[in-house]
Amino acid sequence: MNSLVLIAVGLLGILSGWFFYSRFIAARIYQLDAQFRTPAHEFRDGVDFVPTNRYVLWGHHFTSVAGAAPIVGPAIAVIWGWGPAFLWVVLGTIFFAGVHDMGALWASVRNRGQSIGGLSEKLLGSRARWMFMLIMFLVLLMVNAAFATVITNLLIQFPTAVIPVWGAIVVAIGIGQLLYRAQVGLLWPTIIGVGLLYGLILLGNAVPVALPAEIFGLSDRVVWVLLLFLYAGIASTLPVWMLLQPRDYINGIQLFVALGIIYAAALLSAPTVVVPFINDQVPAGTPPIAPLLFVTIACGAISGFHGLVSSGTSSKQLDRETDARLVGYGGAVGEGMLALAAIVCATAGFATLADWQAVYTNFGAGSVGAFVTGGANIVSQGLGIPAGLAATILTVTAALFAGTTMDTGVRLQRYVIQETGAITGIAALKNGTLATLLAIGFCLAIAFGAASDGTGGMVIWPLFGTSNQLLASLTLLMVTVILARLGRPVVFTLVPLVLVLTMAIYALLLQIGTFLGDQNWTLAIMALFILGAAIMVGISAVTALRQTGFSLLAHRHPAE
């Protein structure tokens, strides 16, 4: 099949969701109000609470929630064929991710910028709140520890990406100064920032940088992991306008340039999708498509991590409540477009089915490597860009996204620790510096405790997919309870949460069986704990929902 058909149908579906469905959800269900005073104005402090231009905030939100996951998940899931991955990405973006992300953002804005975990006590009680916060912390721990490994692998495998990945930090700081100190309009900083970033890509491609195999007795892999966490710790404590916002914004613009390059190259070269709609010759040991498809592709369809970002950082920067449509649903649209590009690169970027099968030899194969290699082939054939330079562009795109997710993830971990301090009355935990050091300490403990080379995050990564989707379903439960209490229809959040919750629990039960069979007691115990915590929160939410006497479709007056 010609990849142009895949691109055209996918983009048409996703953009239809933005122009029509998101407008309906924003106006009729969440009823966004431009006159509502957002927490960014009410609690403005210049550090975390900062009213932000909606396009800049969209960039922060989009790049924070994306990371490498909308590339990794689809590029792995195509092992079952391009059809299931394509349908889940397109339909998930329209009816699941956008509703979830905008809903979490709206719920937090309407409750003084509280995180979804913080809201759980108000709606469900203190016990449910503790369970919710523990799941949140574990998901953040997995993301931060694993993404450090992903970025390290990319920097080692593609040394041409080192200069642009680290140089982007300097560019972002400069953009922040132009926007907030010099009060320059958005246009010129955007043009200058993107120009500098692509100049760094050209420089990096010409001057690859590789660390020595050993530095002070530490391997290059260990040094990269330590440097990444040092950076993430510093970045998470700086005012959001100084680095987080401009870095995420310029990365978002850079991504759309990269997507434009991929789609333009595909338009000109019209590569053939060499993978069948349904692959009935999967490698031995490949798990069943249901429920694994729905937890393998999270970002790009629906992801619980998005709710943490929506209610953790984005809600504290929203200038007007109506901006939640662009930031929340629009961020999901951007992710869907990236996931669609990943599917195209991983299925049409190979010359023959045999070439593709040589890469996809087992479940988990392909991943970022298939995206970079396949995408570079398409770009090289369509636009005549040297394959090495095209690979550098796509590698930088993936690494920058993973880096921005680490920035936000460590900051969110700090929030969780500080919130714990507020709940327990332990004043020391409310200190931002100590909370950041603890967050980094937990990440390093996982990274180096489970593997001496700092890749320990990948040891617990098998739990991420199910934990993340459980978190997504619990976030939808919270939003559903809020809607029910307001007397608004809940069907638009209830249907997605039922499907996601069913698939997540099904997948987790399969994983528990596998862990027990392999005598992997650590992951088995963690999985059982996560399942128990999710069930406890779910029961509390269902009880609260039934007490509202909710209606699926009809509007009614809120209960007194």
Side-chain angles (χ1 to χ4, degrees):
M1 187 187 72
N2 194 307
S3 61
L4 294 182
V5 177
L6 211 62
I7 294 172
V9 174
L11 290 181
L12 179 63
I14 291 172
L15 292 177
S16 295
W18 162 251
F19 285 113
F20 302 107
Y21 194 62
S22 73
R23 185 173 281 113
F24 165 77
I25 295 295
R28 300 291 299 276
I29 307 304
Y30 297 141
Q31 299 180 19
L32 304 182
D33 181 3
Q35 303 305 314
F36 181 79
R37 191 182 185 204
T38 65
H41 290 282
E42 185 176 358
F43 306 111
R44 185 171 188 164
D45 60 7
V47 179
D48 295 318
F49 292 86
V50 180
T52 304
N53 177 288
R54 61 177 182 163
Y55 297 108
V56 174
L57 182 56
W58 168 86
H60 153 69
H61 179 83
F62 171 40
T63 55
S64 294
V65 300
I71 296 172
V72 174
I76 290 176
V78 293
I79 198 168
W80 291 300
W82 67 263
F86 174 80
L87 291 173
W88 177 223
V89 163
V90 174
L91 297 177
T93 297
I94 298 171
F95 299 108
F96 291 69
V99 174
H100 169 276
D101 295 12
M102 180 165 48
L105 183 54
W106 163 75
S108 178
V109 166
R110 283 285 167 161
N111 288 274
R112 301 165 61 88
Q114 283 185 291
S115 70
I116 287 295
L119 280 173
S120 60
E121 180 176 30
K122 175 181 177 181
L123 297 172
L124 311 178
S126 60
R127 182 179 298 177
R129 178 181 190 174
W130 277 114
M131 294 297 99
F132 210 114
M133 289 181 64
L134 283 171
I135 296 175
M136 286 169 50
F137 191 82
L138 284 174
V139 168
L140 290 169
L141 196 61
M142 293 179 206
V143 168
N144 293 332
F147 277 20
T149 301
V150 170
I151 300 171
T152 294
N153 290 341
L154 288 172
L155 294 178
I156 291 175
Q157 184 179 357
F158 300 97
T160 54
V162 172
I163 287 178
V165 165
W166 291 99
I169 298 171
V170 179
V171 173
I173 292 174
I175 291 175
Q177 294 298 315
L178 287 174
L179 291 177
Y180 289 96
R181 287 289 175 84
Q183 297 294 308
V184 177
L186 191 59
L187 178 62
W188 282 109
T190 301
I191 295 173
I192 293 170
V194 173
L196 287 174
L197 187 55
Y198 274 86
L200 288 169
I201 289 175
L202 292 174
L203 178 61
N205 193 63
V207 186
V209 176
L211 293 179
E214 187 173 299
I215 302 175
F216 299 118
L218 302 175
S219 70
D220 56 346
R221 183 175 298 278
V222 170
V223 172
W224 277 131
V225 171
L226 291 174
L227 286 175
L228 286 167
F229 277 116
L230 175 63
Y231 159 73
I234 294 172
S236 69
T237 61
L238 294 175
V240 290
W241 65 266
M242 187 175 292
L243 178 58
L244 188 69
Q245 282 183 359
R247 173 171 159 81
D248 292 355
Y249 170 70
I250 204 65
N251 286 349
I253 298 298
Q254 188 269 339
L255 170 76
F256 268 86
V257 173
L259 284 178
I261 291 173
I262 293 172
Y263 287 136
L267 179 64
L268 293 173
S269 62
T272 299
V273 176
V274 299
V275 183
F277 183 88
I278 297 289
N279 182 20
D280 56 4
Q281 296 181 349
V282 296
T286 301
I289 188 171
L292 267 296
L293 170 70
F294 300 93
V295 298
T296 301
I297 300 179
C299 295
I302 182 172
S303 166
F305 179 72
H306 294 197
L308 302 186
V309 176
S310 293
S311 65
T313 59
S314 298
S315 64
K316 297 174 177 61
Q317 302 170 58
L318 202 70
D319 184 31
R320 298 191 306 169
E321 188 178 70
T322 47
D323 293 345
R325 176 173 171 253
L326 173 66
V327 175
Y329 200 103
V333 165
E335 269 214 341
M337 294 173 68
L338 176 57
L340 177 62
I343 292 171
V344 172
C345 291
T347 59
F350 296 84
T352 65
L353 177 59
D355 292 335
W356 180 83
Q357 290 172 331
V359 173
Y360 284 82
T361 55
N362 58 77
F363 183 72
S367 191
V368 177
F371 168 75
V372 171
T373 302
N377 289 336
I378 292 173
V379 171
S380 179
Q381 293 169 11
L383 300 179
I385 296 175
L389 177 58
T392 298
I393 293 172
L394 297 181
T395 301
V396 170
T397 299
L400 288 179
F401 267 68
T404 54
T405 300
M406 279 189 69
D407 294 356
T408 303
V410 172
R411 187 179 290 261
L412 290 171
Q413 275 189 296
R414 166 166 66 85
Y415 290 162
V416 172
I417 293 172
Q418 288 178 303
E419 198 168 342
T420 301
I423 297 171
T424 59
I426 302 175
L429 293 180
K430 293 188 287 184
N431 180 274
T433 301
L434 178 60
T436 300
L437 290 174
L438 287 174
I440 293 295
F442 280 116
C443 291
L444 290 175
I446 290 294
F448 291 100
S452 59
D453 62 354
T455 61
M458 304 312 294
V459 174
I460 63 173
W461 185 251
L463 283 173
F464 173 75
T466 49
S467 303
N468 188 44
Q469 298 305 66
L470 281 173
L471 184 58
S473 59
L474 295 178
T475 299
L476 284 171
L477 259 177
M478 300 288 292
V479 174
T480 301
V481 170
I482 295 173
L483 289 173
R485 289 189 172 187
L486 292 172
R488 299 177 191 172
V490 300
V491 67
F492 304 99
T493 55
L494 191 60
V495 171
L497 88 82
V498 169
L499 175 63
V500 175
L501 182 61
T502 300
M503 292 301 172
I505 291 179
Y506 182 13
L508 189 57
L509 290 173
L510 291 179
Q511 281 188 315
I512 290 172
T514 300
F515 296 150
L516 291 175
D518 295 339
Q519 297 186 349
N520 190 333
W521 308 120
T522 299
L523 290 185
I525 292 172
M526 288 182 65
L528 286 168
F529 169 78
I530 291 169
L531 178 61
I535 290 173
M536 184 177 296
V537 175
I539 290 174
S540 299
V542 170
T543 301
L545 186 61
R546 292 180 62 185
Q547 290 173 348
T548 65
F550 70 93
S551 170
L552 286 177
L553 291 171
H555 287 273
R556 63 174 178 77
H557 294 295
E560 297 295 335

